[in-house]
C-alpha cells in the first residue's frame, strides 16, 4: 500500500471517528480474526508465565530528579495512560518502565524534579481511557504538565472498530488538553513482530497496526496532541534482535526495548514543554522533515519509528497540515535508584 493510499484509509477512519461512523475496519474481518487467534495464542503464553515473565507491573510512581529541587518551585508532573506498554509490564524493576525512564530523562533535561503518576492498565483498550482520564485529572490543583498515552495493540487484537478506537483516543486527548496538559501519544505498535505470529499473518497484523497508528495520529493531532510512532520500534530493531528487545514472555518489551521506546518519546515530551533545543525545532530537509497534510504525515509516521507529528496549520490546500519530524534519539538511562516518596501507580 502506498503512502497516499495509507493516508486515505487513515483519513476515512479518523473522519468516521469524528462524525460518528462505526463500521470502518482496519483490514478484512476474517483476516483480523486470524491475526486475533495467533495473538491470543501468544498472550496465553504470556499469562502462563512462560520463561520467567514478570506477573506484576512494578510500581514506578514517585519523585524523580530530587537533586534538582529548588525551594518554592514545584516538580513537573508527568502522567502515563494506556495499556501494558505504558504500565511497563514485562520488566521486574520500576526503574525499567517507560514512565520511570521518561521521568528521569525529563528531570535531567529540565533540571527540575518530575513527579510521575501512572494510571495505565495492562490489557486496556482505548475505551478504558474514559476511566483513566478522570483519574489523571482527579485533582484540579495538580493537573499534569504532560501526559503520555500508549494504546492501540489491544484494540487490534480485540477487533475494536478503528473508528471507535480513534474516537475514544481523540476524546481523551481533547479532555486532557482542555484541562491544560500537554499530550504525547505513542501510537499502536507493530503487532507483526510478535514471535508466535507467523506469516502471512505477520503482514496482516503489521498492516492493521499501521492503519490504526496513522488514524490515531490524525485524531490526536487534530485535538492538539503530538504523536510519536512506536511501530517500527517493534519492527526492524525488534526483529533483528528479538532476544534483547523482547522480554522473557516474547510479547512485551524487555528493559532494553522500553528504553528504546522511551528514547523515541522523550524528545517529543521535552518539545511539548518547550525544553528541546530551538535549533532542533526547525524542520531539517536533510532528514526529510517538513510540513505535510496531516493524513499524509500520519501515514509516513506510522511506517517509521520515532517520527513525531504535531499540528502546524489548521487549514491548507488539503485540510489541516502538520509538521513531521524525525528527531535524533538520545540514550535514556535507567534511574540509578528508586524514586523518592513513591506514590500509588494505579496499575
Amino acid at each position: 500500500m502506498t503512502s497516499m493510499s495509507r493516508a486515505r484509509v487513515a483519513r476515512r477512519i479518523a473522519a468516521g471517528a469524528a462524525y460518528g461512523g462505526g463500521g470502518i475496519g482496519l483490514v478484512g474481518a476474517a483476516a483480523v480474526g486470524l491475526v486475533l487467534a495467533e495473538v491470543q495464542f501468544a498472550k496465553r503464553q504470556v499469562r502462563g508465565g512462560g520463561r520467567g515473565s514478570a506477573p506484576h507491573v512494578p510500581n514506578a510512581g514517585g519523585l524523580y530528579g530530587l537533586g534538582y529541587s529548588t525551594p518554592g518551585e514545584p516538580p513537573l508532573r508527568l502522567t502515563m495512560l494506556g495499556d501494558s506498554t505504558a504500565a511497563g509490564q514485562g520488566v521486574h524493576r520500576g526503574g525499567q518502565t517507560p514512565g520511570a525512564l521518561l521521568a528521569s530523562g525529563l528531570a535531567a533535561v529540565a533540571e527540575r524534579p518530575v513527579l510521575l503518576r501512572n494510571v495505565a492498565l495492562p490489557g486496556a483498550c482505548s475505551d478504558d481511557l474514559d476511566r483513566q482520564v478522570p483519574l489523571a485529572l482527579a485533582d484540579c490543583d495538580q493537573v499534569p504538565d504532560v501526559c503520555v498515552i500508549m494504546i492501540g495493540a489491544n484494540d487490534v487484537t480485540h477487533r475494536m472498530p478503528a473508528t471507535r478506537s480513534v474516537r475514544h483516543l481523540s476524546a481523551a486527548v481533547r479532555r486532557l488538553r482542555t484541562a491544560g496538559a500537554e499530550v504525547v501519544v505513542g501510537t499502536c505498535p507493530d503487532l507483526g513482530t510478535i514471535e508466535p505470529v507467523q506469516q502471512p499473518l505477520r503482514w496482516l497484523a503489521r498492516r492493521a497496526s499501521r492503519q490504526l497508528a496513522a488514524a490515531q495520529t490524525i485524531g490526536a493531532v487534530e485535538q492538539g496532541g503530538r504523536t510519536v510512532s512506536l511501530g517500527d520500534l517493534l519492527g526492524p530493531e525488534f526483529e533483528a534482535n528479538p532476544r534483547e528487545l523482547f522480554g522473557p514472555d516474547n510479547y512485551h518489551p524487555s528493559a532494553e526495548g522500553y528504553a528504546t521506546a522511551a528514547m523515541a518519546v522523550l524528545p517529543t515530551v521535552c518539545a511539548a514543554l518547550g525544553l528541546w533545543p530551538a535549533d532542533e525545532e526547525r524542520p531539517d530537509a536533510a532528514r526529510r522533515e517538513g510540513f505535510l497534510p496531516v493524513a499524509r504525515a500520519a501515514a509516513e509516521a506510522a511506517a517509521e519509528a520515532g517520527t513525531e507529528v504535531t499540528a502546524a496549520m489548521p487549514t491548507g490546500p488539503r485540510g489541516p497540515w502538520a509538521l513531521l519530524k524525525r528527531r535524533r534519539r538520545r540514550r535514556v538511562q535507567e534511574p540509578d535508584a528508586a524514586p523518592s516518596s513513591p506514590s500509588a501507580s494505579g496499575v
Side-chain angles (χ1 to χ4, degrees):
M1 183 181 288
T2 67
S3 175
M4 292 301 294
S5 297
R6 289 194 298 268
R8 284 194 295 270
V9 171
R11 168 53 69 193
R12 286 201 302 270
I13 293 170
Y19 297 108
I24 301 177
L26 296 167
V27 292
V32 174
L34 290 173
V35 172
L36 175 68
E38 290 278 343
V39 174
Q40 292 297 344
F41 172 74
K43 292 175 76 172
R44 281 196 295 274
Q45 289 189 335
V46 173
R47 288 194 292 267
R51 299 216 303 267
S53 62
H56 302 294
V57 178
N59 184 350
L63 192 65
Y64 291 77
L66 190 59
Y68 296 113
S69 296
T70 300
E73 184 176 29
L76 290 170
R77 292 181 293 274
L78 165 65
T79 299
M80 302 291 295
L81 304 91
D83 56 22
S84 58
T85 306
Q89 186 173 2
V91 295
H92 297 279
R93 296 195 300 274
Q96 297 173 323
T97 63
L101 294 166
L102 286 171
S104 59
L106 178 58
V109 173
E111 297 186 343
R112 185 173 167 186
V114 174
L115 181 62
L116 171 66
R117 187 169 180 231
N118 199 324
V119 298
L121 178 69
C125 294
S126 292
D127 55 2
D128 194 61
L129 293 174
D130 296 351
R131 180 192 63 86
Q132 295 180 29
V133 169
L135 294 176
L137 300 177
D139 187 345
C140 60
D141 294 324
Q142 299 290 322
V143 173
D145 292 288
V146 60
C147 294
V148 174
I149 303 174
M150 296 180 177
I151 199 86
N154 295 314
D155 298 47
V156 176
T157 62
H158 288 77
R159 291 181 286 186
M160 177 180 287
T163 48
R164 181 181 170 201
S165 174
V166 174
R167 188 180 303 125
H168 286 289
L169 175 62
S170 298
V173 174
R174 180 171 60 251
R175 185 168 179 184
L176 292 168
R177 292 290 292 128
T178 299
E182 297 292 338
V183 181
V184 176
V185 177
T187 56
C188 182
D190 184 352
L191 296 179
T193 59
I194 300 171
E195 285 192 332
V197 179
Q198 302 300 318
Q199 292 289 15
L201 302 183
R202 279 177 179 256
W203 179 85
L204 293 170
R206 172 165 294 146
R207 182 181 175 192
S209 303
R210 288 185 177 182
Q211 284 181 358
L212 179 57
Q216 287 177 315
T217 296
I218 296 173
V221 168
E222 289 185 344
Q223 297 301 325
R226 300 181 184 222
T227 65
V228 179
S229 170
L230 299 182
D232 278 357
L233 293 177
L234 299 176
E237 293 179 75
F238 277 47
E239 288 177 327
N241 210 359
R243 291 292 175 255
E244 180 179 351
L245 289 175
F246 273 122
D249 58 26
N250 285 335
Y251 186 80
H252 294 101
S254 66
E256 182 68 20
Y258 280 132
T260 303
M263 250 195 309
V265 174
L266 178 61
T268 301
V269 169
C270 294
L273 295 171
L275 299 171
W276 209 239
D279 61 340
E280 292 197 20
E281 291 304 289
R282 293 187 292 271
D284 185 344
R287 295 205 300 249
R288 294 178 293 116
E289 298 178 345
F291 298 95
L292 295 168
V294 66
R296 184 177 168 192
E300 291 198 14
E304 184 174 344
T307 305
E308 174 190 317
V309 179
T310 186
M313 294 174 281
T315 59
R318 284 174 282 177
W321 281 53
L323 173 61
L324 183 141
K325 290 191 64 65
R326 296 173 170 90
R327 295 188 183 275
R328 298 182 181 92
R329 297 183 192 172
R330 301 183 179 186
R331 178 69 182 173
V332 179
Q333 298 291 340
E334 179 183 341
D336 293 331
S340 303
S341 305
S343 59
S345 67
V347 298

